[in-house]
Amino acid sequence: LALCCFHALVNGRRKFGFIGWSCSNIYGFTMGDLQQCAQVAINMLNARTGPRASDPVPFADLKYIFGEIMYGGHITDKWDRRTCVTYLETLIVPELFEDGHELFEGFKSKTKGTCSDFLDHIDYNLPPENPVAFGLHPNADISYLQNEQSSLFSQLIEISGGGGGAAGQSKEAVIEKMVVDFLERLPEDFNMFDIKSRIGPSENITPYLVVLLQECEKMNGLLGLIRKSLLDLQLGLQGALNISDMMDQQMNSMFLDRIPAVWEKAAWRTLKSLPVWFVDLLERIDQFTKWQDSLKMPPSVWISGTANPMAFVTAVMQTTARAYQWPLDDVETFTDITKMDWEDATAQPEEGAYIHGLFIEGARWDRELGELQDSILRDLAPQMPIVHLKAIPTKERRMTGYYDCPVYYVSQRGGGNPPGSYVFFGQLRTSDKTVSTLYGIYSYKWVLAGVGILMQVD
């Protein structure tokens, strides 16, 4: 019965999208997997005969075979494998043979009876499907419904071709107005020669300045591409240039408020609509403009506003490792969650860096208690306070009382195209019981709740 529950849970969890499984779009657990696992369990239990009759049930062996080989063989993502193993750790337990043991909320185990009795037990006692049965918060149902309606309306818009323009305007008139607006708001490129000359000799370049230079250079490439494509499109709309296939695709994307593919390829990963994305672009430029003016980091770095956030995380580790003469391979990150709002920081700390722009999904951060707590209904991705990102020796890692929380660039987590938006993992304090395994330090509760940190909300 527990194995059947496990099979139902790992399959039903796909319904909730990327909070259910990081790579929910690629997993397919079949009845063949269930039947093979059942046969393995029967063989291992039947082997306990004769002199081995008193041997204990090999729970650990069964869980390893089910979680790491049979079902785990389908799973490509580390954090999803952790979820799979956690289900088995909570279901395949000695208490399974006690009447009244709860397999999951609202459904109790049954130890005696015929096959028909077990089927009746499932038919009459299985509670209605809800996120709580999967270990998720009820907010997961809201996310599921939002994703469904977003997918539905996206397909309707594509089928209809976007409908009519505002106030009866033609498609070309709407796009021409957008082109003029974007060109007016688009700032000039960063002066890389000026920035490098103010930095001076190469020995003055710190890991943080390397991040600044990389981000400014990438932004210059994107700005140049946007400016050229908009000017070409403007000439095409005026009849001075022939409309190419690429320009036609750009027009279709802009009319549907989608980021043109040629821009998106040169930018960062995002799920935002075009108007929101363009505002996001200007805010990123503003952060780097202030940074390059003084060549000093802002009091708190908007890490979500960097195209390569892992480069900044690495810069924190490199700077600390150099200061203490630690081998970089023996250093890892540690996240100390402050009580400060995003605009409260006045200066960077002496060690590490303040970062902001993070949101938590599947739970919430209680500032007063300084630990993870259950989400508030309808608050799907609450804002995290400023995070003090530090680097520590691996041997000093906290082994209890923390949840290793994956940080993702977008809500697609391990899925999407290209697959995977994982950046790094942070440690969040929790008062729930934690375990230390191959998959790090974590609490079963928060793993099943799909708790993760996002750098962007859709």
Side-chain angles (χ1 to χ4, degrees):
L1 184 60
L3 186 57
C4 290
C5 284
F6 168 71
H7 180 78
L9 289 168
V10 295
N11 269 306
R13 194 176 175 93
R14 295 172 59 195
K15 161 187 172 180
F16 300 101
F18 297 105
I19 195 173
W21 293 109
S22 295
C23 301
S24 63
N25 56 325
I26 64 174
Y27 299 146
F29 306 108
T30 66
M31 284 299 296
D33 297 318
L34 176 60
Q35 290 167 353
Q36 290 170 10
C37 287
Q39 190 59 55
V40 168
I42 291 170
N43 292 341
M44 294 187 72
L45 293 174
N46 287 345
R48 296 161 59 247
T49 58
R52 295 182 57 191
S54 60
D55 286 359
V57 176
F59 286 109
D61 295 344
L62 288 170
K63 286 184 283 192
Y64 182 84
I65 293 171
F66 299 162
E68 300 287 356
I69 301 173
M70 299 298 197
Y71 283 82
H74 295 286
I75 300 174
T76 57
D77 183 84
K78 168 189 173 181
W79 307 104
D80 283 344
R81 193 178 286 262
R82 184 177 72 170
T83 302
C84 176
V85 168
T86 298
Y87 269 130
L88 289 167
E89 290 291 345
T90 57
L91 288 169
I92 312 296
V93 293
E95 293 79 12
L96 190 61
F97 299 105
E98 300 174 5
D99 270 325
H101 170 66
E102 199 168 57
L103 290 167
F104 56 83
E105 187 165 322
F107 188 59
K108 296 183 178 180
S109 176
K110 182 176 176 63
T111 59
K112 297 177 182 178
T114 64
C115 179
S116 178
D117 293 334
F118 276 87
L119 292 175
D120 289 341
H121 175 63
I122 295 170
D123 286 338
Y124 298 119
N125 297 324
L126 190 68
E129 184 177 304
N130 64 82
V132 177
F134 296 89
L136 296 162
H137 189 272
N139 281 344
D141 234 353
I142 301 175
S143 296
Y144 161 70
L145 294 173
Q146 286 184 341
N147 291 336
E148 286 292 295
Q149 67 88 20
S150 177
S151 176
L152 173 62
F153 281 98
S154 177
Q155 293 176 32
L156 288 174
I157 290 172
E158 286 182 0
I159 293 170
S160 66
Q169 292 178 315
S170 67
K171 176 180 177 180
E172 289 73 16
V174 172
I175 293 173
E176 188 168 12
K177 187 176 180 180
M178 292 176 69
V179 169
V180 171
D181 177 53
F182 286 167
L183 285 173
E184 286 178 350
R185 291 195 286 163
L186 202 65
E188 294 296 321
D189 291 357
F190 289 101
N191 188 332
M192 299 306 299
F193 178 79
D194 175 65
I195 297 173
K196 291 178 181 179
S197 63
R198 286 190 288 114
I199 291 175
S202 58
E203 55 266 24
N204 293 345
I205 300 179
T206 65
Y208 296 126
L209 288 176
V210 170
V211 173
L212 173 64
L213 291 171
Q214 290 175 344
E215 291 290 334
C216 289
E217 286 174 353
K218 183 175 180 65
M219 191 62 74
N220 278 353
L222 178 60
L223 288 172
L225 179 64
I226 294 174
R227 188 176 293 108
K228 182 180 184 305
S229 63
L230 288 175
L231 290 172
D232 287 348
L233 186 56
Q234 191 175 49
L235 291 173
L237 292 170
Q238 293 171 354
L241 280 180
N242 291 328
I243 299 291
S244 64
D245 290 340
M246 184 178 293
M247 292 165 67
D248 189 51
Q249 292 172 7
Q250 182 178 340
M251 289 172 62
N252 290 334
S253 296
M254 292 176 67
F255 192 62
L256 296 174
D257 276 346
R258 293 178 180 170
I259 306 166
V262 65
W263 298 0
E264 192 171 16
K265 187 176 180 181
W268 48 89
R269 188 162 183 173
T270 185
L271 301 176
K272 298 179 184 294
S273 63
L274 177 57
V276 178
W277 177 84
F278 196 80
V279 172
D280 183 70
L281 168 70
L282 299 179
E283 290 175 349
R284 288 167 184 256
I285 293 171
D286 182 61
Q287 171 174 240
F288 296 128
T289 299
K290 293 176 181 176
W291 191 347
Q292 65 93 23
D293 284 344
S294 63
L295 297 181
K296 292 182 180 179
M297 280 198 301
S300 176
V301 173
W302 177 34
I303 193 170
S304 310
T306 59
N308 185 8
M310 191 58 209
F312 184 81
V313 175
T314 303
V316 172
M317 293 194 290
Q318 287 176 332
T319 303
T320 308
R322 289 178 184 178
Y324 289 97
Q325 300 294 307
W326 295 335
L328 188 59
D329 290 343
D330 296 338
V331 174
E332 65 177 39
T333 56
F334 178 75
T335 48
D336 184 13
I337 315 301
T338 73
K339 293 185 178 181
M340 293 187 288
D341 288 322
W342 291 2
E343 64 278 1
D344 289 349
T346 56
Q348 284 286 350
E350 293 183 3
E351 186 176 300
Y354 286 145
I355 60 173
H356 67 274
L358 306 177
F359 304 85
I360 188 166
E361 188 176 38
R364 65 182 174 91
W365 181 258
D366 190 305
R367 299 193 187 196
E368 296 304 318
L369 297 177
E371 64 179 33
L372 281 173
Q373 291 290 311
D374 289 324
S375 297
I376 297 173
L377 193 62
R378 292 187 292 277
D379 193 1
L380 305 185
Q383 181 177 298
M384 289 286 288
I386 285 178
V387 175
H388 186 183
L389 180 63
K390 305 176 182 178
I392 60 172
T394 304
K395 62 184 179 181
E396 294 182 10
R397 186 180 188 191
R398 279 66 167 174
M399 301 304 292
T400 59
Y402 284 87
Y403 166 69
D404 286 353
C405 183
V407 180
Y408 299 97
Y409 205 63
V410 293
S411 63
Q412 284 181 332
R413 299 197 178 195
N417 184 28
S421 69
Y422 171 74
V423 182
F424 71 104
F425 73 89
Q427 296 81 25
L428 302 181
R429 188 185 296 276
T430 176
S431 56
D432 291 276
K433 181 183 176 182
T434 57
V435 296
S436 175
T437 73
L438 175 68
Y439 302 104
I441 317 300
Y442 55 93
S443 162
Y444 294 156
K445 175 181 178 179
W446 302 123
V447 169
L448 297 183
V451 176
I453 290 176
L454 308 178
M455 290 191 172
Q456 297 181 49
V457 289
D458 303 345

